[in-house]
Amino acid sequence: MSELLQGTGYLSDDALATVTFLALRMQRPVLLEGEPGTGKTALAEALAQALSIPLVRLQCYEGIDAAQALYDWNFPQQILHLRALEAAGGVTRETVAEAEQSVYSERFLSARPVLQALQQSPAVLLIDEIDRADDEFEAFLLEVLSTYQVSIPEYGTVSAKTPPVVVLTSNRTRELHDALKRRCLYHWVDHPDLDQELRIARSRAPEVSETLRRQVVEVVQRLRTAESLQKPPGVAETLDWARALHHLGAAELDLASAAATLGALVKYREDVDRVRLALDRLLRP
């Protein structure tokens, strides 16, 4: 599994590769928890690419409900369809039932991500930041992930011929319910160590010089462990910072270029101020 993911440019450790392999073999969802920027979403993208199947993404947010995840009916098109039938003389008392049935066909069904994944299976269904949704939405997901089918009253039951590969991610802004966790294989995704992050940087940012890559990764590693930041930089920020420095023509990290590109690394004003004050110390070997 590590080699399969590596072929897409995604470098995983043995533990993550193992849980991903088991999720595929056991047809179980995998729940990835961890700090933002640790590669949780990227795993789903890499899986879809490695398996050559579609990626369907459901971005969770506060207030999302089942309808926004499942389906909706294209009401304006349904009205136009009925008017067209009426204008053509196709709607009579005897054909009202047929007309009503015709507007609830697949032609007017607007599939949302969960339904799309069931229809397109095999596919990778990424349920991103599930911790942003509420308890009711969790309960809905639990039901869908137990049967891999949904019932649409006007249309019928849609079942996946092959269960989609389901990846749920959480930044752990709240605790998820045990019932959902029991349905999934669980893995905590931590920030990579120095060697792992260097390997990722070489793979994802090959245009950056080796000297600059190493200096950037070393500074980021120190920031995560030694500085009390509101949001420690993730791997995505490491890559952005390295690329920003490269675009400025920097072959190695110095105080001026580092200070000028902090906006690629940290995203809170307090963090920018704190890092700027610590830069001289952080850049020392």
Side-chain angles (χ1 to χ4, degrees):
M1 180 54 67
S2 293
E3 293 179 2
L4 188 67
L5 293 172
Q6 190 171 344
T8 71
Y10 187 93
L11 303 181
S12 67
D13 57 26
D14 290 342
L16 180 56
T18 299
V19 78
T20 304
F21 170 80
L22 291 174
L24 292 176
R25 283 302 180 93
M26 299 169 67
Q27 295 186 332
R28 295 277 295 278
V30 58
L31 170 60
L32 304 177
E33 281 195 327
E35 296 292 330
T38 51
K40 302 184 296 297
T41 299
L43 175 66
E45 296 168 348
L47 267 177
Q49 183 180 344
L51 299 174
S52 299
I53 57 178
L55 171 68
V56 182
R57 177 173 180 171
L58 173 62
Q59 177 62 54
C60 297
Y61 52 87
E62 187 177 352
I64 189 173
D65 59 25
Q68 291 157 323
L70 274 179
Y71 70 94
D72 200 1
W73 290 107
N74 191 328
F75 182 68
Q77 289 296 321
Q78 288 174 318
I79 294 297
L80 287 173
H81 175 67
L82 288 176
R83 286 179 178 172
L85 287 177
E86 192 174 22
V91 179
T92 64
R93 287 185 179 180
E94 291 76 19
T95 60
V96 165
E98 293 179 9
E100 288 179 349
Q101 186 175 4
S102 71
V103 298
Y104 290 114
S105 63
E106 189 171 355
R107 173 183 173 188
F108 303 107
L109 184 64
S110 299
R112 304 297 187 222
V114 171
L115 183 58
Q116 287 175 16
L118 297 180
Q119 291 175 324
Q120 296 178 25
S121 63
V124 174
L125 173 59
L126 168 61
I127 303 173
D128 218 3
E129 297 183 323
I130 179 61
D131 52 318
R132 291 180 177 269
D134 57 23
D135 296 351
E136 289 76 12
F137 190 74
E138 266 193 62
F140 152 72
L141 277 182
L142 185 63
E143 181 179 354
V144 172
L145 297 179
S146 297
T147 61
Y148 293 111
Q149 67 179 31
V150 295
S151 179
I152 303 173
E154 307 90 345
Y155 180 76
T157 299
V158 178
S159 302
K161 294 179 181 178
T162 303
V165 179
V166 182
V167 178
L168 300 97
T169 74
S170 168
N171 295 330
R172 209 175 184 183
T173 58
R174 70 172 177 87
E175 284 293 335
L176 302 178
H177 284 274
D178 288 343
L180 182 63
K181 286 188 172 183
R182 283 197 301 270
R183 185 73 188 83
C184 305
L185 300 181
Y186 177 85
H187 186 75
W188 175 266
V189 184
D190 212 343
H191 289 293
D193 60 21
L194 178 69
D195 290 339
Q196 178 77 350
E197 195 159 14
L198 269 173
R199 289 175 58 216
I200 294 171
R202 288 191 191 102
S203 173
R204 294 299 184 97
E207 70 278 13
V208 179
S209 72
E210 180 64 23
T211 299
L212 181 58
R213 268 199 303 261
R214 177 169 286 276
Q215 289 174 325
V216 164
V217 170
E218 286 176 348
V219 169
V220 171
Q221 290 278 326
R222 291 173 195 163
L223 278 175
R224 292 188 189 129
T225 56
E227 305 298 324
S228 300
L229 300 183
Q230 256 184 278
K231 183 188 178 297
V235 175
E237 285 76 30
T238 301
L239 298 175
D240 281 348
W241 196 30
R243 290 174 182 138
L245 289 160
H246 171 76
H247 286 308
L248 289 180
E252 58 182 39
L253 194 58
D254 58 63
L255 192 58
S257 60
T261 53
L262 282 182
L265 182 66
V266 285
K267 311 298 180 178
Y268 289 87
R269 178 183 176 182
E270 296 81 0
D271 288 348
V272 171
D273 293 341
R274 190 173 289 114
V275 174
R276 184 173 281 116
L277 289 172
L279 269 179
D280 186 52
R281 170 171 49 81
L282 289 168
L283 294 179
R284 293 174 197 156

